[in-house]
Amino acid sequence: MKSFGEQLRIYRRQCEDPQRGGLLTQERFGELMGVVLGDAGYSGAAVSDWERDKSKIHADDRAVLVALLTVLRQNGGISSIEDGDDLLAAGNYRRLDAGEARAVFAGAREIQPTSTQQAVAPETAERSRTQRILLEKVNSFWVEGVLKKSIGDASILTLDKTDVITAVDHPWDGSLGQALIGGSSPASSDILTLFDDADRALLILGSPGSGKTMTLITLANHLLEKAKLDPHAPVPLILDLSGWAKERRDLGGWIVEELTAKYQIPRRYGRRWLAGDELILLLDGFDVLPPNARRPCVQAINGFREKYGLMGLAICSRSQEYLDCGLKLRLNRAVKIEALQQEQIDAYLASDDYHALRQVVHKDPAVRQLAKSPLILNVLAAVNGNEAVQGSSDPLVPAAKLTSPGDYEPIFEAYTRRMFRRRPAYAPYEPEQTIKYLHWLALRLEEHSQSIFLIEGIQPSWLPSRRWRWVYLLLSGLILGLAGGLIMWLLWRLLRHTLPQLPAAVSTQLATWFNLAREPVELLAILLGNAALGLLVGVVLGLYFEQRRQKPVEASKVNRQRWLQVWTAGLATGLVTTLFVSLFTTWLLSLAWGVAEGFMYMAAARFIFGWSYESDVRTVEALGWSWQRSLTGIGVGLILTLIAETLESLLYGYNGAARTLVTLVAAGFILGGLSGSAITTKSRPNQGVWLSLRNAGVAAVVLALPLALLTSILRDPIYALNIGVLSALIAASLFGGSVFVKHFLLRGLLRLQHNLPWRYTRFLDHAAQFVFLRKVGGGYIFMHRLLQQYFAGLGQDPPEHIMQKIHPRMKPSSRK
């Protein structure tokens, strides 16, 4: 039988907020109890304590219990006296008497579900389905993909922890003055007990390699087991804070974006889960943040806690990096993971396979000190299992080179050699190639303060120099211009079809000069002119990107700067077009063509190009429908119709407004309504880019087919064919086609510099086979950040002393 708190949580989550809509939160539940009682009510923290059975309403406080049942009844949580009696019985309270039953249920024995309840039920079922998908992904990515593969057949080390009471800004510990490392007290080793005792607000500190991340994943594993048994329990979500530094937005918005990018969960679900306290956030990688981003990150987390204080939160960081930021997180408890004791090391190496390693650990103080780190102990065991350490021509633990506790380079050199010695029968990449590509990847991750690598996350900022970044932007602009030229040529054909008397002064003049037919000259002129405009857009955006690379924009000014960038691109292209066309025709036609070009490149700068070198490639990973945005699209269609018909009337007096209105409004309705909402149950490498390509095709069909059918009825088949091709090209460009092109353009430039192979997924899987990388869903992480730092510190050419010892016959190769 479920406890009182568990049943209360289930019933509350079936309620809908009567004023704000959506799930009735703990905070609002306490407020509504105050409305029934006629007083200030209860805090969300008090309701949270009831639901977790940490505190209990006194049996004599019948008014409070009646108020609680009344709120549940009024907002759809319970529908019968039996439901109320069952809840009371779970808390060992007496059942409702006749007067209390009348107060709660207005004398009715059975109350039918209200329309509100009926509307909420499908949403609740859908939320359970989407949360099951998230549960499966967290389990697959982190528990199965990282934790279990890291420990293999070994048992999880039980790590000692101590309380560090001054590491967090707890309201009740403000008067304590103990130092972070000096004033500690023993804490329970069980991470779930620690998390619950901290009221689900915990900071985990430790030295490099001490096991912080594995402790966090172990906590996630325990929480996943609870969530699988209880469909109303919050879902644990592991995120890497290193990604927050890019835009430094509010933490809630960042979490929603990360759910979409890392777990393919549409934004509307993420926002709903945050509002309903339906997640437990497990944040790793605080120490990976650039030093100048750590204080703002602490402020963002503290601000998030003020807004979502009832949501479970655990954060990992290296102790020193957290201390150096100078601000404290507002959490309830902090623990520090301690180094392994000799007894724990001996127990881990108890197998006969590690006899030689045990001897070295006992005899060599440097190795013994290093073995106190769970990571290094695990690496030493992987390197030295079943092999003699001393007396070999190639000692795998070169103890003489270990000069300090932080000197990990010899260990990782030995690890690299050992992993390559386990080469399968077929390995698509030579060891020197593997090291070269891993060096480049590790260096980029270190430069961008990242731990998780997504192939679709490669950005122009990963290019090695300013010159190559400009090459990328100019080529992107050129491709955009050619696509824009094709769009404008199709639009021109539609105009000529509707208005045969429309002059073609530019193409006629050029055809006369070069003695060629007008139609091909017309196409060539529009393509070349738009190619030049695309290059102009590339230059404009490049100047903005370079400015932001040197001086980041304040968060409060970001939106204004975005629109300044968009308007600059539109005005520049519109003005150049108007001036050029005015050399051949009237000023009104020149202005009309310039406005059309300007708005097209404004849309490109807004929806296709990014905000900086770090955000230029933005995948379109899902398609759905938004009725609200479709109404906005209708409004845009009406405005475009007004502009087009006004110009047409001024120039030729032609009256085809009805057909233009229907066509443009239909196009605006469809383009505006398309939005992201689908959920994928599986994640694979580079999924975002391939989904973008698929969505480009879907959007092209969804827009082109109805418009072509509609215009074939209103006009003629030739006109409908042109409309179909034009709308398909526009939709594909806006909904993922441009992303696909830019991603592989960027990959091609990096391949030219021999920084990565063309079949990059195959290489990353190859590196994961050697346990240099771990696969996390559709992304990859290094086996440990210390290994990432080791590879980043290597030069472009693999050290010869590593390569020569991998295999007796192996020599360094110059293969690319």
Side-chain angles (χ1 to χ4, degrees):
M1 179 178 177
K2 292 185 182 296
S3 68
F4 176 85
E6 290 172 327
Q7 287 199 41
L8 174 59
R9 180 178 179 84
I10 292 171
Y11 287 142
R12 178 184 62 81
R13 291 167 70 88
Q14 293 173 358
C15 295
E16 181 174 347
D17 193 316
Q19 295 179 358
R20 305 173 186 175
L23 179 70
L24 186 64
T25 65
Q26 293 169 333
E27 193 74 35
R28 284 285 293 147
F29 189 89
E31 292 175 6
L32 293 176
M33 284 187 63
V35 174
V36 176
L37 291 167
D39 57 23
Y42 290 85
S43 68
V47 178
S48 175
D49 286 344
W50 296 341
E51 292 186 353
R52 288 182 291 122
D53 295 306
K54 290 193 68 175
S55 67
K56 188 177 180 182
I57 301 171
H58 196 278
D60 293 336
D61 291 334
R62 294 297 293 182
V64 175
L65 291 169
V66 170
L68 182 145
L69 294 175
T70 302
V71 173
L72 291 175
R73 161 69 187 90
Q74 290 175 346
N75 299 287
I78 59 177
S79 59
S80 68
I81 294 177
E82 281 75 11
D83 288 341
D85 285 342
D86 288 345
L87 179 59
L88 293 175
N92 292 321
Y93 301 112
R94 67 172 173 81
R95 297 177 180 274
L96 293 169
D97 59 30
E100 291 169 340
R102 282 195 299 272
V104 176
F105 294 96
R109 184 73 182 171
E110 293 288 341
I111 305 295
Q112 296 298 320
T114 63
S115 58
T116 300
Q117 284 179 267
Q118 294 170 350
V120 171
E123 182 182 349
T124 303
E126 183 182 15
R127 183 160 58 244
S128 298
R129 179 181 66 85
T130 56
Q131 288 192 348
R132 280 198 304 272
I133 293 174
L134 181 59
L135 276 170
E136 292 167 2
K137 289 191 174 187
V138 173
N139 182 69
S140 173
F141 295 0
W142 294 101
V143 177
E144 301 291 338
V146 177
L147 179 64
K148 293 186 178 179
K149 286 187 178 180
S150 296
I151 63 174
D153 296 329
S155 59
I156 299 177
L157 283 167
T158 301
L159 304 175
D160 293 334
K161 305 169 188 71
T162 54
D163 274 313
V164 281
I165 53 181
T166 59
V168 292
D169 185 12
H170 194 290
W172 302 108
D173 292 335
S175 60
L176 299 178
Q178 295 171 304
L180 176 64
I181 305 301
S184 304
S185 60
S188 168
S189 295
D190 179 54
I191 187 60
L192 182 60
T193 301
L194 281 170
F195 186 64
D196 287 337
D197 289 346
D199 201 16
R200 303 190 307 166
L202 181 67
L203 172 64
I204 303 170
L205 299 173
S207 57
S210 61
K212 302 179 298 299
T213 299
M214 291 304 167
T215 300
L216 194 72
I217 300 174
T218 302
L219 174 60
N221 190 26
H222 292 315
L223 294 171
L224 283 169
E225 293 302 320
K226 293 178 67 175
K228 290 174 184 176
L229 296 174
D230 181 2
H232 298 282
V235 179
L237 173 67
I238 298 180
L239 295 175
D240 195 289
L241 275 170
S242 60
W244 179 85
K246 288 182 180 179
E247 296 191 18
R248 304 189 187 184
R249 58 191 303 172
D250 69 283
L251 197 70
W254 173 78
I255 290 166
V256 171
E257 294 299 324
E258 287 293 287
L259 268 169
T260 301
K262 301 300 192 303
Y263 295 92
Q264 295 79 49
I265 299 294
R267 293 171 180 83
R268 63 190 180 98
Y269 291 105
R271 288 190 287 266
R272 182 188 303 166
W273 294 343
L274 283 180
D277 300 325
E278 298 177 56
L279 299 172
I280 294 179
L281 302 176
L282 308 177
L283 306 180
D284 195 12
F286 177 85
D287 47 271
V288 183
L289 290 167
N292 64 354
R294 290 172 192 157
R295 285 178 65 91
C297 185
V298 171
Q299 293 169 342
I301 294 172
N302 289 340
F304 177 83
R305 288 278 294 160
E306 291 177 4
K307 187 175 182 180
Y308 302 98
L310 301 178
M311 188 173 297
L313 178 64
I315 301 175
C316 273
S317 176
R318 292 180 180 178
S319 300
Q320 195 59 49
E321 281 79 353
Y322 175 74
L323 281 171
D324 289 344
C325 83
L327 282 181
K328 294 181 181 181
L329 290 164
R330 292 176 192 153
L331 301 173
N332 297 336
R333 191 174 189 179
V335 294
K336 179 175 181 289
I337 299 176
E338 297 294 338
L340 294 174
Q341 301 299 314
Q342 188 62 51
E343 296 79 10
Q344 294 172 299
I345 297 172
D346 289 340
Y348 189 84
L349 301 177
S351 170
D352 290 340
D353 291 344
Y354 305 124
H355 174 74
L357 179 58
R358 281 201 310 273
Q359 298 299 315
V360 175
V361 169
H362 282 281
K363 292 178 181 179
D364 193 308
V367 178
R368 185 164 60 250
Q369 183 65 31
L370 284 171
K372 292 182 178 181
S373 162
L375 166 70
I376 300 302
L377 179 61
N378 184 274
V379 171
L380 289 173
V383 167
N384 294 279
N386 262 329
E387 292 205 24
V389 179
Q390 301 296 336
S392 170
S393 60
D394 180 21
L396 293 177
V397 181
K401 295 176 64 177
L402 301 176
T403 58
S404 68
D407 183 14
Y408 302 126
E409 184 175 345
I411 299 293
F412 288 121
E413 283 184 5
Y415 180 80
T416 302
R417 291 198 303 272
R418 167 54 69 88
M419 293 300 107
F420 278 128
R421 285 188 175 186
R422 298 175 177 175
R423 297 183 77 196
Y426 169 72
Y429 300 93
E430 295 295 331
E432 63 268 30
Q433 291 177 294
T434 303
I435 292 178
K436 176 184 172 65
Y437 293 145
L438 286 175
H439 161 71
W440 179 83
L441 175 59
L443 202 58
R444 298 288 83 77
L445 291 174
E446 287 291 308
E447 286 177 355
H448 292 83
S449 300
Q450 294 181 23
S451 296
I452 300 178
F453 171 65
L454 297 170
I455 298 177
E456 57 265 50
I458 296 176
Q459 296 289 346
S461 57
W462 288 46
L463 290 165
S465 65
R466 182 173 181 266
R467 177 170 63 91
W468 280 104
R469 289 190 290 270
W470 272 102
V471 168
Y472 163 80
L473 276 176
L474 292 177
L475 286 177
S476 296
L478 180 62
I479 294 170
L480 167 70
L482 292 174
L486 187 56
I487 289 172
M488 294 305 293
W489 177 71
L490 289 168
L491 178 62
W492 178 251
R493 284 176 57 86
L494 291 174
L495 291 173
R496 294 282 295 172
H497 187 82
T498 305
L499 301 169
Q501 69 273 33
L502 192 67
V506 178
S507 54
T508 301
Q509 185 66 55
L510 292 176
T512 303
W513 287 352
F514 296 105
N515 194 26
L516 296 171
R518 184 175 60 81
E519 285 76 11
V521 169
E522 192 170 77
L523 172 61
L524 186 62
I526 294 177
L527 285 177
L528 291 177
N530 278 273
L533 292 177
L535 289 173
L536 177 60
V537 171
V539 170
V540 170
L541 296 179
L543 293 174
Y544 274 108
F545 287 7
E546 286 291 332
Q547 182 183 14
R548 291 186 198 113
R549 187 175 67 88
Q550 298 168 8
K551 186 179 179 181
V553 177
E554 297 177 14
S556 60
K557 298 179 181 178
V558 165
N559 195 51
R560 186 178 66 183
Q561 290 292 314
R562 283 181 189 272
W563 281 107
L564 181 61
Q565 172 181 304
V566 169
W567 278 101
T568 302
L571 288 173
T573 52
L575 181 61
V576 169
T577 301
T578 301
L579 292 176
F580 177 76
V581 177
S582 67
L583 298 175
F584 301 92
T585 187
T586 65
W587 69 268
L588 192 55
L589 279 175
S590 304
L591 182 61
W593 195 259
V595 168
E597 294 274 15
F599 272 105
M600 182 177 70
Y601 287 105
M602 279 182 67
R606 173 66 178 85
F607 297 107
I608 294 177
F609 284 91
W611 162 246
S612 66
Y613 287 127
E614 288 76 23
S615 64
D616 193 54
V617 181
R618 297 166 297 165
T619 56
V620 181
E621 298 170 3
L623 277 183
W625 185 262
S626 168
W627 289 104
Q628 183 177 0
R629 291 179 58 183
S630 67
L631 295 177
T632 304
I634 291 175
V636 173
L638 291 172
I639 294 172
L640 291 177
T641 301
L642 178 63
I643 295 172
E645 290 306 312
T646 300
L647 287 172
E648 189 176 312
S649 176
L650 289 173
L651 289 170
Y652 304 106
Y654 180 78
N655 186 15
R659 291 183 292 185
T660 303
L661 176 66
V662 171
T663 303
L664 290 180
V665 166
F669 174 75
I670 297 172
L671 277 176
L674 287 173
S675 64
S677 67
I679 303 175
T680 58
T681 57
K682 296 182 180 179
S683 296
R684 59 185 185 274
N686 213 22
Q687 185 175 24
V689 169
W690 293 107
L691 282 176
S692 295
L693 179 63
R694 186 196 71 178
N695 291 330
V698 172
V701 172
V702 168
L703 181 64
L705 192 58
L707 288 183
L709 291 174
L710 182 63
T711 50
S712 67
I713 297 172
L714 295 175
R715 296 180 185 265
D716 57 77
I718 299 299
Y719 192 92
L721 178 63
N722 279 276
I723 279 286
V725 175
L726 175 63
S727 56
L729 188 57
I730 292 173
S733 299
L734 291 176
F735 289 94
S738 58
V739 173
F740 183 83
V741 172
K742 290 200 296 181
H743 173 79
F744 281 100
L745 170 63
L746 185 56
R747 291 265 298 274
L749 294 176
L750 291 169
R751 180 69 185 93
L752 283 175
Q753 301 159 62
H754 306 291
N755 288 323
L756 47 77
W758 189 248
R759 297 180 65 181
Y760 204 23
T761 300
R762 184 175 74 158
F763 165 74
L764 294 170
D765 289 338
H766 164 82
Q769 191 175 17
F770 287 105
V771 203
F772 296 127
L773 301 177
R774 297 282 189 200
K775 197 169 181 179
V776 181
Y780 297 83
I781 60 173
F782 275 87
M783 185 269 290
H784 192 275
R785 192 176 170 220
L786 288 173
L787 183 64
Q788 176 179 312
Q789 292 170 336
Y790 165 74
F791 274 109
L794 296 177
Q796 278 280 17
D797 297 317
E800 188 170 332
H801 67 277
I802 295 178
M803 301 309 305
Q804 289 177 335
K805 293 180 179 180
I806 292 172
H807 194 278
R809 295 188 299 274
M810 187 174 295
K811 295 181 180 179
S813 168
S814 59
R815 279 180 57 186
K816 297 294 185 185

